[in-house]
Amino acid sequence: MALITGLCTFLYHLPQIYKWLLKPYYITSLFMTVAFLVVRKAPGLCEHLATQREDGNSCDFDWREVEILMFLSAIVMMKNRRAITLEQHIGNVFLFSKVANVMLFFRLDIRLGILYLALCVAFVMTCKPPLYMGPEYIKYFSDKTMDEELQRDSRVTWIVEFYANWSSECQSFASIFADLSLKYNCPGLRFGKVDIGRYGEVSERYRVSTSPLTKQLPSLVLFQEGREVMRRPMVDNKGRAVSWTFSEENIIREFNLNELFQKSKKLNKDRGLNEEEQNSTQPEEGSNELPSETNDLKQPTESKKDQ
């Protein structure tokens, strides 16, 4: 049953997987993942490799290599239990496959191990995972604009993500946060992001550590009337984040997004009624052009993306 479920899941996500494989990062990762398998099974090459098999067949895995691969599979299954997105599942497979390949190549031939390790270092330094480029209704803050936006209108509730581009967890969470912004964004409930890897002052001001050891990235903070109301993950006395799963269901439940969205829609209706009352009380003589100019000035100066 588990095999059928996994197969159905793979077929469902096959179009998305196909798009990923066209990107250099995933193409290179795929080749590096199957590198040892190709070397061990390649005709004309495997005959010259060392083996501990009793039959002397160097083109097949020996018992130690099978043991390492089984151990790798167990680790990947344990890590993927907490994975939310398909990117996280595939990222775990790529990461631990490379670690296993390093062990297998060093055990096979130290020269091959050094070569593969050098390729892994070069890959990490030169090839970065592709950033999320899909649709979203998110305002990107800088160190100078964040406080101003949060204090501009006390009736607006903000959900702000503190992230860093180098964090793989932040990259995996980007699509989930974008989907939430598409579903819940309105004039009374806004979504924002700030790169604390770039703006260190914001990191210190809002007490979000960028250290990988604290595991505080990403952090979601709810602001109402310009003040912080809650954040996830919470931080203990030692400055380390309390384990929390960044799934769409958890965020909707913990931040009460459905309730906030309904209140924000009610606020928008009240604003519309107030504007209609103001328009109905315009003076009849000598000031026909003034109200239109005033309304033009009241229109928010936002980018097309934010609107």
Side-chain angles (χ1 to χ4, degrees):
M1 185 64 184
L3 181 61
I4 297 176
T5 303
L7 180 60
C8 293
T9 304
F10 174 78
L11 294 176
Y12 176 78
H13 293 288
L14 187 59
Q16 188 177 4
I17 296 175
Y18 178 73
K19 292 180 181 179
W20 287 342
L21 293 179
L22 295 180
K23 298 179 180 180
Y25 174 83
Y26 293 107
I27 294 175
T28 308
S29 295
L30 181 61
F31 279 116
M32 296 189 68
T33 298
V34 300
F36 184 81
L37 176 63
V38 172
V39 171
R40 176 59 87 180
K41 295 292 185 178
L45 179 61
C46 62
E47 290 86 355
H48 304 284
L49 301 178
T51 183
Q52 294 183 2
R53 291 177 59 91
E54 295 180 357
D55 58 3
N57 183 10
S58 61
C59 292
D60 202 357
F61 299 115
D62 58 39
W63 66 274
R64 181 65 70 181
E65 292 169 349
V66 173
E67 190 177 58
I68 294 175
L69 293 175
M70 294 295 293
F71 182 68
L72 164 70
S73 302
I75 293 179
V76 171
M77 291 177 63
M78 293 176 59
K79 296 294 292 185
N80 279 344
R81 290 178 60 185
R82 298 187 59 186
I84 304 301
T85 63
L86 190 58
E87 292 94 333
Q88 292 176 330
H89 286 279
I90 296 178
N92 288 333
V93 173
F94 285 159
L95 174 62
F96 290 102
S97 296
K98 293 170 186 173
V99 173
N101 278 331
V102 170
M103 299 171 58
L104 292 169
F105 275 119
F106 267 104
R107 182 177 174 274
L108 181 64
D109 190 325
I110 189 172
R111 293 169 297 180
L112 293 176
I114 294 174
L115 176 61
Y116 185 82
L117 183 61
L119 290 176
C120 289
V121 173
F123 173 79
V124 172
M125 296 179 63
T126 60
C127 196
K128 302 296 181 181
L131 300 177
Y132 176 78
M133 299 298 292
E136 60 184 18
Y137 287 129
I138 297 176
K139 179 76 174 181
Y140 285 82
F141 299 129
S142 67
D143 55 344
K144 298 179 180 179
T145 62
M146 182 169 179
D147 292 337
E148 178 184 351
E149 287 289 343
L150 295 179
Q151 301 292 339
R152 176 173 295 179
D153 191 342
S154 61
R155 296 171 297 181
V156 177
T157 299
W158 283 92
I159 299 178
V160 180
E161 177 193 353
F162 294 80
Y163 75 102
N165 282 328
W166 50 262
S167 171
S168 59
E169 290 81 4
C170 295
Q171 294 169 2
S172 301
F173 179 65
S175 59
I176 298 176
F177 195 61
D179 291 339
L180 290 172
S181 71
L182 294 174
K183 295 177 181 178
Y184 292 98
N185 182 78
C186 63
L189 178 60
R190 304 290 303 278
F191 291 77
K193 295 180 71 170
V194 58
D195 185 359
I196 59 176
R198 179 179 180 183
Y199 304 110
E201 296 180 0
V202 178
S203 172
E204 297 176 0
R205 191 186 312 155
Y206 292 95
R207 304 183 305 280
V208 181
S209 174
T210 57
S211 173
L213 299 178
T214 61
K215 298 183 178 180
Q216 294 187 29
L217 293 178
S219 286
L220 286 183
V221 181
L222 178 68
F223 292 94
Q224 291 181 333
E225 298 182 356
R227 298 190 301 270
E228 177 181 338
V229 177
M230 65 175 294
R231 72 167 61 192
R232 291 293 183 274
M234 295 185 292
V235 181
D236 59 18
N237 296 330
K238 296 181 179 180
R240 292 178 296 186
V242 179
S243 180
W244 195 72
T245 304
F246 279 89
S247 64
E248 185 172 331
E249 295 78 10
N250 284 349
I251 296 171
I252 293 174
R253 181 180 64 254
E254 293 287 332
F255 288 86
N256 294 322
L257 287 186
N258 292 321
E259 182 180 349
L260 289 175
F261 184 66
Q262 295 300 327
K263 290 181 179 179
S264 300
K265 289 200 301 184
K266 183 179 180 181
L267 175 63
N268 297 337
K269 292 180 180 179
D270 294 340
R271 285 180 179 178
L273 292 175
N274 292 335
E275 291 178 358
E276 291 180 0
E277 292 177 358
Q278 292 177 0
N279 294 334
S280 63
T281 59
Q282 292 178 355
E284 296 180 356
E285 297 181 358
S287 60
N288 292 332
E289 298 180 355
L290 182 58
S292 62
E293 295 176 358
T294 305
N295 290 336
D296 291 339
L297 292 174
K298 291 182 178 180
Q299 293 179 354
T301 57
E302 296 179 337
S303 64
K304 181 179 179 181
K305 180 178 181 181
D306 293 329
Q307 293 175 353

